[in-house]
Amino acid sequence: MTMVLATSRSSSYHKRMAAVRYLLATQHQQLLLEAQTRCRVEERSDPEWFCRWRNHCGLLRGYHDRQKLGFTTTRRKRASKRQALRGLPDDWRDQLCVRARNGKYAYAMLVAALTGCRPAELQAGIVVSREQHTESTEELIVFRVDGVKVKEGHGQPYRLIAYRANDPHPLMRAIVDLLNSDGAELPLNVQIERPGNFTVEVRRLAKCLWPTHPHAVTAYCFRHQWAADIKSTQAGDVVSRGLGHLSAKTRRYYGLAGQARSSGVLSPFSIEAPRLVRPEKMVSSRGSLTLLGP
């Protein structure tokens, strides 16, 4: 169990415990099969098999003792990816998207910047459509993001993030120009094959643009910057819906309002999601639960 404990990450601990469990189950099945074979041929005495069985039982006891204790190592403090935003220029997203303009991720970069989607949601596919608002008759560019972290009490099944088609923000101008130059027919499904490859490309381009930046710029930086922009202009529940969250408290882990850029803040026309955001719960000084709004 020494290797199981040699980590400061709970996720690594549980993965290693799962590997040990699989190994022990396989070994247990093999030993029982050998015992049944020996019984059929009346080979009832095998010191080597009994020695292996005793060792196996000792490992089983050790595994169950470790399982009862759980993860006891001091956890390593989680480093937030929003730290990578510090020191980047105000137009860092624009620069990255321009750099990717002629590559395979041209649309994916723009969609990630405009929606704050998860890379896995890009893998599932994000639909870009052109619609007309029923009341104002304004032309809108609408992004439909289907959630990937969705359970009965967790996450938003989908969210709709709409921008005015004539929005002057450089990112909106870039995607409209790209759609026009490609002659793409809407709705358009923007999709990537592998989230890991997309993040590698974001990191590579960022390193070319800002070689001395102390933090790795990844695909999740788009998500943190989007959250920061929306937090600076919208109510909390709007941010949660846009990020695909069902719980209000989860948004605290994403970009801060103070990280919104002095110029170039994204301002969606509307953000919609089907589920109501659960308010955050906090314990008051008297010990009772207090519900806090957004």
Side-chain angles (χ1 to χ4, degrees), residues 18-212:
V20 171
R21 181 171 63 250
Y22 175 79
L23 178 64
L24 289 175
T26 303
Q27 190 180 65
H28 194 82
Q29 187 176 16
Q30 181 181 351
L31 288 168
L32 290 178
L33 184 61
E34 289 180 19
Q36 292 171 1
T37 303
R38 287 186 174 84
C39 286
R40 284 197 296 268
V41 298
E42 298 184 351
E43 291 182 10
R44 299 188 181 278
S45 179
D46 185 348
E48 187 269 339
W49 182 90
F50 279 109
C51 181
R52 287 163 55 205
W53 178 256
R54 283 195 299 270
N55 289 337
H56 174 69
C57 290
L59 290 172
L60 282 176
R61 284 192 294 271
Y63 172 81
H64 286 297
D65 290 343
R66 182 69 259 164
Q67 192 178 40
K68 290 177 183 177
L69 291 172
F71 182 62
T72 55
T73 309
T74 302
R75 283 179 169 83
R76 185 174 64 189
K77 186 177 180 181
R78 182 180 177 182
S80 173
K81 296 182 180 67
R82 67 187 176 199
Q83 293 178 359
L85 302 182
R86 297 174 184 170
L88 287 173
D90 283 359
D91 63 343
W92 71 269
R93 292 173 298 190
D94 309 344
Q95 291 189 44
L96 262 183
C97 290
V98 169
R99 192 67 177 248
R101 176 67 172 79
N102 298 317
K104 63 183 290 189
Y105 293 119
Y107 278 110
M109 290 270 190
L110 285 166
V111 168
L114 286 163
T115 65
C117 65
R118 302 176 178 95
E121 290 167 336
L122 267 172
Q123 184 182 32
I126 293 176
V127 177
V128 184
S129 59
R130 196 187 301 267
E131 299 178 11
Q132 191 174 56
H133 191 252
T134 53
E135 296 179 4
S136 66
T137 69
E138 288 186 271
E139 189 178 27
L140 305 175
I141 300 296
V142 182
F143 302 85
R144 178 188 170 107
V145 185
D146 289 327
V148 293
K149 293 186 176 181
V150 182
K151 297 179 183 177
E152 184 178 349
H154 184 85
Q156 297 286 353
Y158 68 88
R159 52 200 187 270
L160 301 174
I161 301 172
Y163 292 86
R164 292 177 176 85
N166 61 356
D167 190 318
H169 194 285
L171 291 172
M172 276 302 299
R173 298 271 44 85
I175 197 166
V176 170
D177 290 345
L178 188 58
L179 288 168
N180 292 337
S181 64
D182 285 354
E185 293 186 5
L186 298 181
L188 177 69
N189 187 40
V190 178
Q191 196 167 15
I192 60 175
E193 291 183 6
R194 294 181 179 86
N197 290 355
F198 179 59
T199 286
V200 168
E201 180 65 1
V202 172
R203 187 176 298 174
R204 184 186 71 82
L205 294 178
K207 198 66 178 175
C208 292
L209 288 167
W210 310 290
T212 60

Side-chain angles (χ1 to χ4, degrees), residues 249-275:
K249 73 176 183 179
T250 314
R251 63 177 175 257
R252 71 172 68 169
Y253 302 115
Y254 290 85
L256 305 172
Q259 291 178 310
R261 303 294 153 164
S262 57
S263 61
V265 172
L266 287 170
S267 182
F269 177 83
S270 64
I271 299 174
E272 300 175 16
R275 293 177 173 177

